[in-house]
Amino acid sequence: MPFEKPSHHRKVRLDDLLEYRRRQRNAADLAFADMVADTERLGLYDINPDKTRATLKAARKKAEG
């Protein structure tokens, strides 16, 4: 991102900052959509949450002891 540094602090133009924020949010949205698609493809939304909790609890107990 272009900036000026007339003293100790960087100064950026507002339109550059807003464009950077737009790109970052777009990248985050795409990453989230990819995670959701992977989860759906793997069928992870179909897993019983109680079974998952029990499995995690057993794994944590095993790791502690």
Side-chain angles (χ1 to χ4, degrees), residues 4-65:
E4 295 177 13
K5 195 169 180 181
S7 60
H8 294 294
H9 301 286
R10 292 181 180 152
K11 294 185 178 186
V12 296
R13 291 181 26 191
L14 180 60
D15 58 337
D16 291 336
L17 180 63
L18 294 175
E19 176 61 22
Y20 172 79
R21 184 177 72 171
R22 185 194 64 74
R23 285 194 319 267
Q24 290 298 106
R25 287 184 176 175
N26 188 40
D29 289 345
L30 289 174
F32 182 69
D34 285 346
M35 289 188 325
V36 169
D38 288 345
T39 303
E40 288 174 344
R41 182 178 49 81
L42 294 171
L44 297 177
Y45 286 125
D46 301 328
I47 296 173
N48 181 342
D50 294 329
K51 182 178 178 183
T52 302
R53 275 189 217 97
T55 304
L56 286 171
K57 187 176 181 179
R60 288 177 182 140
K61 190 178 248 186
K62 183 178 178 182
E64 289 176 358

